[in-house]
Amino acid sequence: MAGILVIVGLALLAMPVLLVVALVSLSSLKGRVAELERNLAELRFAAERPSVREGGATAAPRDPAVPPGPEPAPAAGDAPTLSELMRRQASDGTAPAMPAASVPLQASVVPPATPPPASATGAAASAPPPLPPPGPRQEAAREAAGGTARARAATASARIAHGRAAPAENALLRAAKRWFTVGNVPVKIGMLVLLAGVAALLKYASDQGLFVLPLELRLAAVAAAALGALVFAWRRRDSNRVFALSLQGGAIGVLLLTVFAAFKLYGVIDPGPAFALSVLLVAGMGLLAVLQDAKALAVFALLAGFLAPLWLSTGSGNHVALFSYYALLNAAIVAIAWFRAWRILNLLGFVFTFGIGSLWGASAYTPEKFASTQPFLLLFFAFYLVVPILFARRQPAGRRDLVDGCLVFGTPLVAFTLQAGLMDGLFADGSRMPLALCALGLALLYAALAWVLLRRAGYRVLGQSHAILAVGFATLAVPLALSARATASVFALEGAGLVWLGLRQGRGLPVFTGSALQLVAACALLLGAVDDAAGDARLLLNPTAMAALLVALAGLASAWAARLHGATVRALAFYLWGLLWWCGNGVHEIDRFVEPVARADWLLVFAIATAWLAAEVHRLSPARALAWTVAGGFAMALPLALAQHAAHSHPFGGDYGLAAWVAFALLGLRSLACLRGDASRLASLAQFAWWLAWAMAVSLWAGWWSSHAGLAQGWHLALGVAPWLVLVALALWRWRWLAIPRGALADGARTPLLCVAFAVVALDWLLALRQAAPSAPLPWLPLLNPAELVHSLALLLAAAWLWSPWAPQALRPLRMALVAAVGFVLLSVSTLRGVHHWGGVAWEPGLLSSSLAQTSLTVIWSVLGVIGWITGSRRGRRGLWLAGALLMGVVLAKLLLVDRQHLGGMLGIVSFIAYGVLCTIVGYLAPAPPRMPGASAGESHA
């Protein structure tokens, strides 16, 4: 059992050293950068040597009989590994030779001795003699040297290319291989073997009884030998640094093993003295590391210091003593960080401190130990809050932006997680407010540090990292302290701030984070509204509405910031997001708190208010999306007017109908005024919807008033279409009144407005064809009753429109036919209504089968045909004459096919006689059609 413990102790001492060396090699890029720089220097040197040798004026040619001097020896820190030497030997085919002293290029060339002329002065004699012209031998030497340089350049290039293309070796294996192959390898291996040998010797001597000395003296002898080796290594620290440091580490390791054996294996000393000796040895080793600038020795001391409580543990579970000891170790780490930028030391301290603390907390912590544990957590957090700042302080002025991200971000996250674990179950009600206050305190602390660091030169990245942590913990404090709806509010505002910051700095990560926060805010609000919205008591003044409003405002603010920075697509996305939440919040609030009969009124106010706000912003900063919003707000008045009509009989009725339309008028006019400088189609579309909304509202009100006043159906049909006819008349003859306040910019909407207005009138007229249109309380008169008077007026307005410049081009060739057809139908329907009202025939489908209706139609159509026949002949309009003739032909066909059934009665006889008389009159007045333009007189008589 003791042997196993010795082997475990050796493993604990040896393997962490290998791991630490691996971490050192991973954390430092100095070696790799130096190797790349060395290869680059070789390439440059090899590329420049041929040009230097070819320039005869700058360097003397090398004698090929003289071997070239060796390359400069590499630095001690860049010594090749054993495996690299073996690869070079295999590639060169020669045994590796010890590096020789570098010989200058000029020294290897022996210039020919040429005596100066006798007449030369002293000054001339001191000048160097001119070089002779190169001979064949020198030319060959120059070519050979150039080939050698090119070969060396190719070899260096191949080495770099091979190093780049070769697959990455396992970092841990490479670190272990370099530890065993770089530096003073025999000393390193010897120290490990010596440790194992000493431990085995002690165990063997104890088991075999080879020593008659007491156990205490034997342990003391081993400790004395280790101290002697330590003193010897200290004296050799300057002449043989690598050997001395390795021997120092081994000697202190032997002393630690001796203490461990004396306590754990043989029980010679008590736990207290053993622990004190271990602390003393660890502190001494740390002091030696700092004095000699030996990072590896410091790492070994740190590992031994953190592992000492584990191998000297008695199982008492005294966490106060353990954490107090770790506090001393971490204080030593902070002190070392003040003088040395040893990142691996900081990382090991962080991992061991919080790792062992987390293991203890998971296995042994209870809420009763909170008071004795909390101070240590705060102390350890403070240590590793300061260490990254000290690490940056020890960096050169131009490299202080190299942030130790593991400690800067890992320390608060791990510490806050442990803090949450300490407070779990501490409060009976499970309140999260204390933890939220902890998060808020961290946010304030990191905000203060960020403010201080950002004001100092060279700490910009470190200050920004602390600012990010401040924002993060402030964000985390919100859901811990507030409800889901309040969390949504804060997250939305914070997201908008991050979007603005990212756009201002031109960085995508804050913009993405801010967008994600706004999305999270929306989800939190939806989840919170499901559970808590039922408790809201007032319109708008409730947490749900306020949270939704903040989400909407955050999206709109993000859109504004994106538009200011030229991100048009992103601005549109944010705007649509904010507008969606704005409209959804308004509709939701109206649906929850407004009576159903008044919801359409409130929605109309909300729609025009939204349009007005968009118009005001559009006036300051025109945008197409804002113009669409204004047009959409005006267009919503059309369906809302119908909803008001369904809710309380007409748009102006109810408790809020008239007030809603007053608000629509005021805000609508202001919105159109904001669009006065906008000549786009969207602005015209908004004003177009404004005209249609008022025409529809007044039309619905007029229809309601006619029914409410007890007027007959004819009045209802007339008053319902009258506002549209007024709109048409204004568009035809008083356009400037309608164009207020945009003026000439609204001219583009004139023709579309007339088309839509006449489409509404035509639809009303088609629906009225099936109605009897009584005119009570007035007597019904043909063409003089309200409905037919309005329809006649509509026909006149249509004729005026079709012959005006604002008629569509496609309708102009058909305008005569359209007016004639509409007038013919209007007279025919008026005739049938006369049969109903004066003849007493019921208004039903059987009306057309009556002899009175058929006779009346025959007479009216015959009169119309005769008028067309005669007018066309007198005025020379051949088309009109042919239309009259065609109508008379239709009447004749009607007489033969329909009216002959009524010849047995007086009405049938009257129809035949009337048609005959009218045809006779036509034959007397206009027997032939007028001549076609260009026809000769002879052709006309023929």
mmCIF file of all heavy atoms in Angstrom, residues 629-673:
data_model
loop_
_atom_site.group_PDB
_atom_site.id
_atom_site.type_symbol
_atom_site.label_atom_id
_atom_site.label_comp_id
_atom_site.label_asym_id
_atom_site.label_seq_id
_atom_site.Cartn_x
_atom_site.Cartn_y
_atom_site.Cartn_z
ATOM 1 N N THR A 629 -47.586 53.768 -44.243
ATOM 2 C CA THR A 629 -48.338 53.757 -42.983
ATOM 3 C C THR A 629 -49.440 54.810 -42.986
ATOM 4 O O THR A 629 -50.569 54.553 -42.533
ATOM 5 C CB THR A 629 -47.376 53.996 -41.817
ATOM 6 O OG1 THR A 629 -46.321 53.035 -41.865
ATOM 7 C CG2 THR A 629 -48.097 53.881 -40.487
ATOM 8 N N VAL A 630 -49.129 56.002 -43.498
ATOM 9 C CA VAL A 630 -50.148 57.055 -43.564
ATOM 10 C C VAL A 630 -51.295 56.624 -44.468
ATOM 11 O O VAL A 630 -52.487 56.754 -44.116
ATOM 12 C CB VAL A 630 -49.514 58.364 -44.067
ATOM 13 C CG1 VAL A 630 -50.578 59.447 -44.190
ATOM 14 C CG2 VAL A 630 -48.417 58.822 -43.120
ATOM 15 N N ALA A 631 -50.952 56.108 -45.639
ATOM 16 C CA ALA A 631 -51.999 55.657 -46.557
ATOM 17 C C ALA A 631 -52.818 54.520 -45.951
ATOM 18 O O ALA A 631 -54.053 54.475 -46.096
ATOM 19 C CB ALA A 631 -51.361 55.210 -47.879
ATOM 20 N N GLY A 632 -52.161 53.624 -45.254
ATOM 21 C CA GLY A 632 -52.892 52.529 -44.614
ATOM 22 C C GLY A 632 -53.823 53.002 -43.526
ATOM 23 O O GLY A 632 -54.942 52.490 -43.372
ATOM 24 N N GLY A 633 -53.381 54.013 -42.744
ATOM 25 C CA GLY A 633 -54.260 54.565 -41.715
ATOM 26 C C GLY A 633 -55.516 55.196 -42.293
ATOM 27 O O GLY A 633 -56.620 55.023 -41.755
ATOM 28 N N PHE A 634 -55.366 55.932 -43.406
ATOM 29 C CA PHE A 634 -56.544 56.513 -44.055
ATOM 30 C C PHE A 634 -57.439 55.433 -44.656
ATOM 31 O O PHE A 634 -58.677 55.514 -44.579
ATOM 32 C CB PHE A 634 -56.109 57.486 -45.152
ATOM 33 C CG PHE A 634 -55.706 58.836 -44.635
ATOM 34 C CD1 PHE A 634 -54.373 59.189 -44.528
ATOM 35 C CD2 PHE A 634 -56.662 59.750 -44.254
ATOM 36 C CE1 PHE A 634 -54.001 60.430 -44.054
ATOM 37 C CE2 PHE A 634 -56.310 60.998 -43.784
ATOM 38 C CZ PHE A 634 -54.964 61.341 -43.676
ATOM 39 N N ALA A 635 -56.824 54.435 -45.276
ATOM 40 C CA ALA A 635 -57.623 53.376 -45.907
ATOM 41 C C ALA A 635 -58.407 52.566 -44.883
ATOM 42 O O ALA A 635 -59.492 52.056 -45.194
ATOM 43 C CB ALA A 635 -56.708 52.446 -46.711
ATOM 44 N N MET A 636 -57.905 52.448 -43.649
ATOM 45 C CA MET A 636 -58.630 51.695 -42.629
ATOM 46 C C MET A 636 -59.954 52.354 -42.269
ATOM 47 O O MET A 636 -60.843 51.708 -41.698
ATOM 48 C CB MET A 636 -57.766 51.558 -41.369
ATOM 49 C CG MET A 636 -56.645 50.550 -41.493
ATOM 50 S SD MET A 636 -57.256 48.891 -41.872
ATOM 51 C CE MET A 636 -58.289 48.580 -40.453
ATOM 52 N N ALA A 637 -60.110 53.633 -42.604
ATOM 53 C CA ALA A 637 -61.381 54.305 -42.305
ATOM 54 C C ALA A 637 -62.533 53.708 -43.103
ATOM 55 O O ALA A 637 -63.695 53.761 -42.650
ATOM 56 C CB ALA A 637 -61.259 55.803 -42.589
ATOM 57 N N LEU A 638 -62.270 53.142 -44.265
ATOM 58 C CA LEU A 638 -63.354 52.589 -45.092
ATOM 59 C C LEU A 638 -64.010 51.376 -44.428
ATOM 60 O O LEU A 638 -65.222 51.372 -44.212
ATOM 61 C CB LEU A 638 -62.810 52.240 -46.475
ATOM 62 C CG LEU A 638 -62.263 53.437 -47.278
ATOM 63 C CD1 LEU A 638 -61.607 52.951 -48.563
ATOM 64 C CD2 LEU A 638 -63.390 54.408 -47.600
ATOM 65 N N PRO A 639 -63.260 50.326 -44.087
ATOM 66 C CA PRO A 639 -63.933 49.207 -43.406
ATOM 67 C C PRO A 639 -64.439 49.579 -42.021
ATOM 68 O O PRO A 639 -65.450 49.026 -41.559
ATOM 69 C CB PRO A 639 -62.850 48.122 -43.340
ATOM 70 C CG PRO A 639 -61.562 48.847 -43.464
ATOM 71 C CD PRO A 639 -61.837 50.006 -44.345
ATOM 72 N N LEU A 640 -63.747 50.502 -41.345
ATOM 73 C CA LEU A 640 -64.216 50.899 -40.014
ATOM 74 C C LEU A 640 -65.527 51.673 -40.101
ATOM 75 O O LEU A 640 -66.354 51.598 -39.178
ATOM 76 C CB LEU A 640 -63.140 51.736 -39.310
ATOM 77 C CG LEU A 640 -61.901 50.954 -38.873
ATOM 78 C CD1 LEU A 640 -60.852 51.882 -38.296
ATOM 79 C CD2 LEU A 640 -62.271 49.879 -37.852
ATOM 80 N N ALA A 641 -65.735 52.422 -41.178
ATOM 81 C CA ALA A 641 -67.024 53.091 -41.357
ATOM 82 C C ALA A 641 -68.148 52.073 -41.510
ATOM 83 O O ALA A 641 -69.251 52.244 -40.956
ATOM 84 C CB ALA A 641 -66.960 54.015 -42.576
ATOM 85 N N LEU A 642 -67.895 51.014 -42.254
ATOM 86 C CA LEU A 642 -68.888 49.944 -42.368
ATOM 87 C C LEU A 642 -69.126 49.273 -41.018
ATOM 88 O O LEU A 642 -70.264 48.915 -40.681
ATOM 89 C CB LEU A 642 -68.423 48.924 -43.403
ATOM 90 C CG LEU A 642 -68.317 49.439 -44.847
ATOM 91 C CD1 LEU A 642 -67.734 48.349 -45.744
ATOM 92 C CD2 LEU A 642 -69.686 49.885 -45.359
ATOM 93 N N ALA A 643 -68.029 49.087 -40.233
ATOM 94 C CA ALA A 643 -68.204 48.495 -38.901
ATOM 95 C C ALA A 643 -69.023 49.403 -37.997
ATOM 96 O O ALA A 643 -69.862 48.929 -37.206
ATOM 97 C CB ALA A 643 -66.827 48.227 -38.289
ATOM 98 N N GLN A 644 -68.802 50.705 -38.071
ATOM 99 C CA GLN A 644 -69.618 51.636 -37.301
ATOM 100 C C GLN A 644 -71.082 51.588 -37.738
ATOM 101 O O GLN A 644 -71.991 51.657 -36.897
ATOM 102 C CB GLN A 644 -69.077 53.073 -37.477
ATOM 103 C CG GLN A 644 -67.746 53.317 -36.803
ATOM 104 C CD GLN A 644 -67.229 54.708 -37.096
ATOM 105 O OE1 GLN A 644 -67.195 55.136 -38.254
ATOM 106 N NE2 GLN A 644 -66.818 55.433 -36.056
ATOM 107 N N HIS A 645 -71.302 51.475 -39.034
ATOM 108 C CA HIS A 645 -72.671 51.376 -39.543
ATOM 109 C C HIS A 645 -73.364 50.130 -39.004
ATOM 110 O O HIS A 645 -74.565 50.169 -38.648
ATOM 111 C CB HIS A 645 -72.636 51.353 -41.075
ATOM 112 C CG HIS A 645 -73.977 51.184 -41.704
ATOM 113 N ND1 HIS A 645 -74.940 52.183 -41.695
ATOM 114 C CD2 HIS A 645 -74.534 50.126 -42.367
ATOM 115 C CE1 HIS A 645 -76.025 51.758 -42.314
ATOM 116 N NE2 HIS A 645 -75.806 50.512 -42.734
ATOM 117 N N ALA A 646 -72.614 49.023 -38.894
ATOM 118 C CA ALA A 646 -73.202 47.793 -38.358
ATOM 119 C C ALA A 646 -73.411 47.873 -36.849
ATOM 120 O O ALA A 646 -74.346 47.281 -36.305
ATOM 121 C CB ALA A 646 -72.298 46.607 -38.705
ATOM 122 N N ALA A 647 -72.525 48.641 -36.151
ATOM 123 C CA ALA A 647 -72.613 48.697 -34.695
ATOM 124 C C ALA A 647 -73.696 49.642 -34.214
ATOM 125 O O ALA A 647 -74.452 49.319 -33.287
ATOM 126 C CB ALA A 647 -71.258 49.101 -34.113
ATOM 127 N N HIS A 648 -73.816 50.827 -34.823
ATOM 128 C CA HIS A 648 -74.818 51.794 -34.352
ATOM 129 C C HIS A 648 -75.458 52.545 -35.513
ATOM 130 O O HIS A 648 -75.571 53.782 -35.478
ATOM 131 C CB HIS A 648 -74.207 52.777 -33.353
ATOM 132 C CG HIS A 648 -72.804 53.193 -33.654
ATOM 133 N ND1 HIS A 648 -72.460 53.966 -34.736
ATOM 134 C CD2 HIS A 648 -71.639 52.914 -33.009
ATOM 135 C CE1 HIS A 648 -71.158 54.177 -34.732
ATOM 136 N NE2 HIS A 648 -70.630 53.547 -33.696
ATOM 137 N N SER A 649 -75.853 51.817 -36.565
ATOM 138 C CA SER A 649 -76.696 52.283 -37.667
ATOM 139 C C SER A 649 -76.024 53.246 -38.637
ATOM 140 O O SER A 649 -76.341 53.260 -39.812
ATOM 141 C CB SER A 649 -77.987 52.946 -37.142
ATOM 142 O OG SER A 649 -78.705 52.024 -36.349
ATOM 143 N N HIS A 650 -75.098 54.052 -38.193
ATOM 144 C CA HIS A 650 -74.381 54.951 -39.106
ATOM 145 C C HIS A 650 -73.066 55.353 -38.449
ATOM 146 O O HIS A 650 -72.901 55.266 -37.228
ATOM 147 C CB HIS A 650 -75.233 56.180 -39.460
ATOM 148 C CG HIS A 650 -75.515 57.090 -38.316
ATOM 149 N ND1 HIS A 650 -74.758 58.192 -38.022
ATOM 150 C CD2 HIS A 650 -76.513 57.050 -37.382
ATOM 151 C CE1 HIS A 650 -75.246 58.795 -36.961
ATOM 152 N NE2 HIS A 650 -76.318 58.137 -36.559
ATOM 153 N N PRO A 651 -72.086 55.823 -39.220
ATOM 154 C CA PRO A 651 -70.760 56.100 -38.662
ATOM 155 C C PRO A 651 -70.735 57.163 -37.587
ATOM 156 O O PRO A 651 -69.882 57.119 -36.697
ATOM 157 C CB PRO A 651 -69.953 56.541 -39.898
ATOM 158 C CG PRO A 651 -70.661 55.927 -41.054
ATOM 159 C CD PRO A 651 -72.111 55.936 -40.689
ATOM 160 N N PHE A 652 -71.658 58.134 -37.637
ATOM 161 C CA PHE A 652 -71.618 59.226 -36.681
ATOM 162 C C PHE A 652 -72.469 58.952 -35.444
ATOM 163 O O PHE A 652 -72.608 59.850 -34.593
ATOM 164 C CB PHE A 652 -72.098 60.527 -37.347
ATOM 165 C CG PHE A 652 -71.370 60.843 -38.613
ATOM 166 C CD1 PHE A 652 -72.067 61.128 -39.781
ATOM 167 C CD2 PHE A 652 -69.984 60.832 -38.655
ATOM 168 C CE1 PHE A 652 -71.396 61.419 -40.953
ATOM 169 C CE2 PHE A 652 -69.308 61.122 -39.821
ATOM 170 C CZ PHE A 652 -70.007 61.410 -40.985
ATOM 171 N N GLY A 653 -73.014 57.787 -35.320
ATOM 172 C CA GLY A 653 -73.886 57.474 -34.195
ATOM 173 C C GLY A 653 -73.106 56.941 -33.009
ATOM 174 O O GLY A 653 -71.879 56.911 -32.972
ATOM 175 N N GLY A 654 -73.853 56.475 -32.015
ATOM 176 C CA GLY A 654 -73.226 55.952 -30.810
ATOM 177 C C GLY A 654 -72.681 57.057 -29.931
ATOM 178 O O GLY A 654 -72.856 58.253 -30.168
ATOM 179 N N ASP A 655 -71.978 56.640 -28.873
ATOM 180 C CA ASP A 655 -71.433 57.616 -27.930
ATOM 181 C C ASP A 655 -70.167 58.276 -28.441
ATOM 182 O O ASP A 655 -69.832 59.394 -28.027
ATOM 183 C CB ASP A 655 -71.141 56.919 -26.593
ATOM 184 C CG ASP A 655 -72.410 56.402 -25.935
ATOM 185 O OD1 ASP A 655 -73.483 56.988 -26.206
ATOM 186 O OD2 ASP A 655 -72.331 55.424 -25.174
ATOM 187 N N TYR A 656 -69.430 57.578 -29.315
ATOM 188 C CA TYR A 656 -68.125 58.093 -29.716
ATOM 189 C C TYR A 656 -67.979 58.234 -31.236
ATOM 190 O O TYR A 656 -66.908 58.617 -31.703
ATOM 191 C CB TYR A 656 -67.008 57.156 -29.216
ATOM 192 C CG TYR A 656 -67.064 56.892 -27.734
ATOM 193 C CD1 TYR A 656 -67.588 55.699 -27.240
ATOM 194 C CD2 TYR A 656 -66.596 57.839 -26.830
ATOM 195 C CE1 TYR A 656 -67.627 55.441 -25.876
ATOM 196 C CE2 TYR A 656 -66.641 57.593 -25.462
ATOM 197 C CZ TYR A 656 -67.158 56.396 -24.996
ATOM 198 O OH TYR A 656 -67.196 56.162 -23.650
ATOM 199 N N GLY A 657 -69.039 57.942 -32.011
ATOM 200 C CA GLY A 657 -68.912 57.969 -33.455
ATOM 201 C C GLY A 657 -68.563 59.337 -34.000
ATOM 202 O O GLY A 657 -67.613 59.497 -34.779
ATOM 203 N N LEU A 658 -69.320 60.345 -33.594
ATOM 204 C CA LEU A 658 -69.076 61.684 -34.097
ATOM 205 C C LEU A 658 -67.716 62.207 -33.637
ATOM 206 O O LEU A 658 -66.970 62.825 -34.417
ATOM 207 C CB LEU A 658 -70.192 62.627 -33.625
ATOM 208 C CG LEU A 658 -70.092 64.071 -34.117
ATOM 209 C CD1 LEU A 658 -70.115 64.120 -35.640
ATOM 210 C CD2 LEU A 658 -71.218 64.906 -33.514
ATOM 211 N N ALA A 659 -67.371 61.935 -32.392
ATOM 212 C CA ALA A 659 -66.064 62.378 -31.887
ATOM 213 C C ALA A 659 -64.928 61.698 -32.658
ATOM 214 O O ALA A 659 -63.886 62.320 -32.930
ATOM 215 C CB ALA A 659 -65.955 62.063 -30.397
ATOM 216 N N ALA A 660 -65.122 60.422 -33.005
ATOM 217 C CA ALA A 660 -64.097 59.713 -33.757
ATOM 218 C C ALA A 660 -63.878 60.357 -35.124
ATOM 219 O O ALA A 660 -62.734 60.524 -35.573
ATOM 220 C CB ALA A 660 -64.486 58.241 -33.906
ATOM 221 N N TRP A 661 -64.982 60.772 -35.781
ATOM 222 C CA TRP A 661 -64.828 61.378 -37.100
ATOM 223 C C TRP A 661 -64.319 62.812 -37.017
ATOM 224 O O TRP A 661 -63.648 63.291 -37.944
ATOM 225 C CB TRP A 661 -66.137 61.311 -37.868
ATOM 226 C CG TRP A 661 -66.340 59.943 -38.442
ATOM 227 C CD1 TRP A 661 -67.043 58.924 -37.904
ATOM 228 C CD2 TRP A 661 -65.767 59.450 -39.663
ATOM 229 N NE1 TRP A 661 -66.976 57.806 -38.694
ATOM 230 C CE2 TRP A 661 -66.194 58.100 -39.790
ATOM 231 C CE3 TRP A 661 -64.968 59.987 -40.639
ATOM 232 C CZ2 TRP A 661 -65.832 57.311 -40.862
ATOM 233 C CZ3 TRP A 661 -64.597 59.204 -41.724
ATOM 234 C CH2 TRP A 661 -65.023 57.880 -41.827
ATOM 235 N N VAL A 662 -64.582 63.492 -35.919
ATOM 236 C CA VAL A 662 -63.968 64.815 -35.714
ATOM 237 C C VAL A 662 -62.455 64.656 -35.579
ATOM 238 O O VAL A 662 -61.661 65.419 -36.166
ATOM 239 C CB VAL A 662 -64.582 65.504 -34.488
ATOM 240 C CG1 VAL A 662 -63.783 66.750 -34.116
ATOM 241 C CG2 VAL A 662 -66.032 65.873 -34.756
ATOM 242 N N ALA A 663 -62.051 63.650 -34.791
ATOM 243 C CA ALA A 663 -60.613 63.371 -34.669
ATOM 244 C C ALA A 663 -60.027 62.968 -36.015
ATOM 245 O O ALA A 663 -58.899 63.367 -36.368
ATOM 246 C CB ALA A 663 -60.390 62.270 -33.632
ATOM 247 N N PHE A 664 -60.800 62.198 -36.779
ATOM 248 C CA PHE A 664 -60.327 61.797 -38.103
ATOM 249 C C PHE A 664 -60.137 63.014 -39.004
ATOM 250 O O PHE A 664 -59.163 63.092 -39.767
ATOM 251 C CB PHE A 664 -61.336 60.831 -38.723
ATOM 252 C CG PHE A 664 -60.934 60.321 -40.079
ATOM 253 C CD1 PHE A 664 -60.028 59.291 -40.213
ATOM 254 C CD2 PHE A 664 -61.486 60.885 -41.229
ATOM 255 C CE1 PHE A 664 -59.659 58.832 -41.464
ATOM 256 C CE2 PHE A 664 -61.132 60.431 -42.483
ATOM 257 C CZ PHE A 664 -60.207 59.396 -42.607
ATOM 258 N N ALA A 665 -61.048 63.984 -38.908
ATOM 259 C CA ALA A 665 -60.940 65.186 -39.738
ATOM 260 C C ALA A 665 -59.717 66.011 -39.354
ATOM 261 O O ALA A 665 -58.936 66.440 -40.220
ATOM 262 C CB ALA A 665 -62.211 66.013 -39.601
ATOM 263 N N LEU A 666 -59.542 66.252 -38.058
ATOM 264 C CA LEU A 666 -58.435 67.105 -37.617
ATOM 265 C C LEU A 666 -57.075 66.454 -37.892
ATOM 266 O O LEU A 666 -56.179 67.055 -38.499
ATOM 267 C CB LEU A 666 -58.590 67.418 -36.132
ATOM 268 C CG LEU A 666 -59.846 68.216 -35.744
ATOM 269 C CD1 LEU A 666 -59.917 68.379 -34.236
ATOM 270 C CD2 LEU A 666 -59.857 69.568 -36.446
ATOM 271 N N LEU A 667 -56.933 65.205 -37.427
ATOM 272 C CA LEU A 667 -55.650 64.525 -37.623
ATOM 273 C C LEU A 667 -55.398 64.207 -39.092
ATOM 274 O O LEU A 667 -54.246 64.198 -39.543
ATOM 275 C CB LEU A 667 -55.611 63.247 -36.779
ATOM 276 C CG LEU A 667 -55.676 63.457 -35.266
ATOM 277 C CD1 LEU A 667 -55.638 62.120 -34.546
ATOM 278 C CD2 LEU A 667 -54.530 64.344 -34.794
ATOM 279 N N GLY A 668 -56.485 63.957 -39.840
ATOM 280 C CA GLY A 668 -56.318 63.675 -41.256
ATOM 281 C C GLY A 668 -55.811 64.886 -42.020
ATOM 282 O O GLY A 668 -54.913 64.784 -42.864
ATOM 283 N N LEU A 669 -56.397 66.056 -41.737
ATOM 284 C CA LEU A 669 -55.925 67.269 -42.402
ATOM 285 C C LEU A 669 -54.474 67.573 -42.040
ATOM 286 O O LEU A 669 -53.669 67.983 -42.894
ATOM 287 C CB LEU A 669 -56.817 68.450 -42.019
ATOM 288 C CG LEU A 669 -58.189 68.496 -42.702
ATOM 289 C CD1 LEU A 669 -59.023 69.633 -42.121
ATOM 290 C CD2 LEU A 669 -58.026 68.682 -44.212
ATOM 291 N N ARG A 670 -54.120 67.366 -40.776
ATOM 292 C CA ARG A 670 -52.736 67.601 -40.371
ATOM 293 C C ARG A 670 -51.792 66.606 -41.068
ATOM 294 O O ARG A 670 -50.694 66.979 -41.503
ATOM 295 C CB ARG A 670 -52.600 67.477 -38.856
ATOM 296 C CG ARG A 670 -51.180 67.585 -38.351
ATOM 297 C CD ARG A 670 -50.526 68.877 -38.797
ATOM 298 N NE ARG A 670 -49.095 68.882 -38.498
ATOM 299 C CZ ARG A 670 -48.247 69.794 -38.956
ATOM 300 N NH1 ARG A 670 -48.681 70.762 -39.743
ATOM 301 N NH2 ARG A 670 -46.975 69.738 -38.638
ATOM 302 N N SER A 671 -52.238 65.360 -41.193
ATOM 303 C CA SER A 671 -51.418 64.357 -41.868
ATOM 304 C C SER A 671 -51.210 64.716 -43.331
ATOM 305 O O SER A 671 -50.098 64.616 -43.865
ATOM 306 C CB SER A 671 -52.072 62.974 -41.747
ATOM 307 O OG SER A 671 -52.236 62.608 -40.396
ATOM 308 N N LEU A 672 -52.289 65.163 -43.999
ATOM 309 C CA LEU A 672 -52.143 65.565 -45.398
ATOM 310 C C LEU A 672 -51.258 66.805 -45.528
ATOM 311 O O LEU A 672 -50.524 66.946 -46.508
ATOM 312 C CB LEU A 672 -53.524 65.832 -46.003
ATOM 313 C CG LEU A 672 -54.426 64.598 -46.150
ATOM 314 C CD1 LEU A 672 -55.793 65.013 -46.666
ATOM 315 C CD2 LEU A 672 -53.788 63.575 -47.082
ATOM 316 N N ALA A 673 -51.328 67.679 -44.536
ATOM 317 C CA ALA A 673 -50.443 68.847 -44.568
ATOM 318 C C ALA A 673 -48.979 68.433 -44.446
ATOM 319 O O ALA A 673 -48.092 69.056 -45.044
ATOM 320 C CB ALA A 673 -50.826 69.802 -43.435
#
